[in-house]
Amino acid sequence: LTTAGAFSDDITGGPPDIFGNETLLGTDWTAPRVTSPTKIPIWVIQRDERYGVSMRELCVRVVPR
């Protein structure tokens, strides 16, 4: 989850789907265009097969090009 920018894939990981296709193990994040240095929070949520949840928050500083 993030407040700005875009992920190439919203959901990654997990078991193969019903057709046997492997799931993605990663995603790319594209930063938004900014006019001044901006801090963007990003939350990574990990779930396991036992319904356990772990969450990690980080902040990325995006500067204009």
Side-chain angles (χ1 to χ4, degrees), residues 8-61:
S8 59
D9 295 289
D10 293 331
I11 298 174
T12 60
D17 66 15
I18 60 171
F19 302 108
N21 299 315
E22 292 292 323
T23 55
L24 299 172
L25 296 180
T27 186
D28 293 320
W29 178 70
T30 303
R33 292 188 185 273
V34 295
T35 56
S36 63
T38 306
K39 292 181 181 176
I40 309 282
I42 296 177
W43 296 271
V44 177
I45 302 168
Q46 179 182 8
R47 296 182 176 110
D48 65 20
E49 64 276 357
R50 297 173 294 165
Y51 304 105
V53 176
S54 179
M55 192 165 123
R56 178 97 173 164
E57 180 182 4
L58 59 119
C59 193
V60 177
R61 185 171 184 253

